[in-house]
Amino acid sequence: MNSMEIELLGRHNRLVKEIKRLSQSAIRDERGRFLVEGRRVVQELALSQVEVEELLLGESLLQAEGEPPWLEGLWRRQPELRVWMVADSVLESLSNTATSQGFLAVARRPTLELAQFLKAKRLLVLSQIQDPGNVGTLLRSGLALGIEGALLCGGADPYNPKVVRAAAGAVFHLPLYRFREEELASWSRRLEAEGFTILTAEAHGGRSLIGIEPPRPWALVLGAEVKGVDSAWQSQAHWPLHIPLAPQSESLNVAAAGAIIMYELARAGATRGGVES
């Protein structure tokens, strides 16, 4: 296929089968590729520095709207990019949503050095959070509120199509690293050895978030809503934090709680004057 052209991708093309397999976490890990779906998120991908390997556009979309306005810029950045026109029925078969918006891309997973996480001042750690919507929302909030990298232990794959959509493009800009649950204790020790203060979100007890002045660097650990933060993160030096709530309220959704805590930490840093702004 020549670059700078849109060609037709048939239903029985081998690429269609390969793309469908990327719905599986093990295949994403093996290939170092992930799916990006939806008008807004594919556009965000095109405007990022993440490498796009395949771009599929729905036939009826192209007939109604023509080429998307950002495609020319993406081709300038990646002149050998393959762009395909796909029958709507084929795109629907590849879609992870109820109705395809006519945009689907295959992106290469960024490769990152672990050293860059340890140089950060503000890390987010998602420990065994299973719901893709919550994981995506937390990554989106983290990027907006100054988080410099996210570590994920167990739980939902950050490159799951549902997480990518919920994150609204945050996975293209926020450094991510996923480690196995059996590595949890060693990561907790490693962060503390590197000078990070471990902040854990708790439903009750510990320090009130109001007026908090955390030392830098810090790593905020959020755990599954039912189980909470794993005990491996709770050393003598860690800071448990809670959000003061009305007496009638027992707790918050982890995505809501995480956003509030990150906002307050960012505000505390900005008030102190310096790196958070």
Side-chain angles (χ1 to χ4, degrees):
M1 168 178 177
N2 297 323
S3 62
M4 308 294 285
E5 295 179 359
I6 298 179
E7 292 195 4
L8 181 65
L9 182 66
R11 177 182 298 275
H12 301 294
N13 189 294
R14 182 178 177 181
L15 178 60
V16 173
K17 297 177 183 179
E18 289 297 312
I19 291 174
K20 199 168 188 66
R21 296 186 70 199
L22 289 174
S23 295
Q24 305 171 49
S25 179
I27 299 299
R28 291 194 294 271
D29 289 343
E30 177 187 316
R31 305 288 170 81
R33 311 289 188 273
F34 65 102
L35 295 176
V36 181
E37 186 175 2
R39 179 186 295 268
R40 178 181 174 186
V41 187
V42 170
Q43 178 177 345
E44 186 68 26
L45 170 67
L47 298 175
S48 76
Q49 295 303 307
V50 174
E51 183 178 350
V52 185
E53 294 207 336
E54 313 284 350
L55 176 61
L56 282 61
L57 302 172
E59 185 174 10
S60 63
L61 170 79
L62 284 170
Q63 290 173 348
E65 302 181 17
E67 295 182 7
W70 42 260
L71 181 56
E72 183 178 351
L74 178 58
W75 256 325
R76 282 199 299 269
R77 178 165 71 90
Q78 292 186 224
E80 299 303 318
L81 172 66
R82 295 184 292 181
V83 181
W84 307 90
M85 180 172 72
V86 189
D88 295 347
S89 59
V90 175
L91 214 52
E92 290 285 351
S93 73
L94 297 173
S95 176
N96 285 276
T97 61
T99 305
S100 171
Q101 295 181 8
F103 295 84
L104 183 70
V106 177
R108 183 186 291 271
R109 187 179 301 185
T111 55
L112 301 166
E113 297 292 332
L114 290 182
Q116 76 180 89
F117 289 92
L118 301 179
K119 292 178 182 177
K121 300 299 182 185
R122 294 150 292 171
L123 288 178
L124 175 64
V125 182
L126 305 184
S127 183
Q128 301 161 315
I129 298 179
Q130 301 292 337
D131 183 79
N134 284 338
V135 171
T137 300
L138 284 165
L139 296 177
R140 181 179 183 179
S141 298
L143 179 66
L145 294 169
I147 293 296
E148 297 168 275
L151 302 173
L152 298 98
C153 172
D157 177 0
Y159 295 104
N160 176 316
K162 294 180 180 178
V163 175
V164 174
R165 283 199 307 277
V171 298
F172 313 139
H173 306 289
L174 187 66
L176 305 175
Y177 182 76
R178 194 181 188 203
F179 59 92
R180 298 187 302 275
E181 293 185 35
E182 54 266 32
E183 299 176 278
L184 191 155
S186 64
W187 264 101
S188 175
R189 291 192 297 270
R190 183 172 186 176
L191 289 177
E192 288 195 336
E194 293 289 338
F196 284 86
T197 297
I198 304 298
L199 312 176
T200 61
E202 311 287 345
H204 307 283
R207 305 172 189 235
S208 169
L209 185 63
I210 305 302
I212 193 75
E213 292 188 13
R216 288 190 291 265
W218 51 258
L220 172 63
V221 182
L222 301 172
E225 289 187 49
V226 176
K227 183 180 177 182
V229 174
D230 192 284
S231 59
W233 296 106
Q234 299 171 342
S235 70
Q236 290 184 339
H238 92 286
W239 288 22
L241 303 177
H242 74 272
I243 302 170
L245 300 175
Q248 301 88 343
S249 178
E250 176 64 23
S251 64
L252 291 171
N253 166 278
V254 67
I260 292 170
I261 294 171
M262 287 186 283
Y263 172 79
E264 287 294 332
L265 293 173
R267 189 170 69 135
T271 300
R272 269 194 316 207
V275 292
E276 312 291 338
S277 60

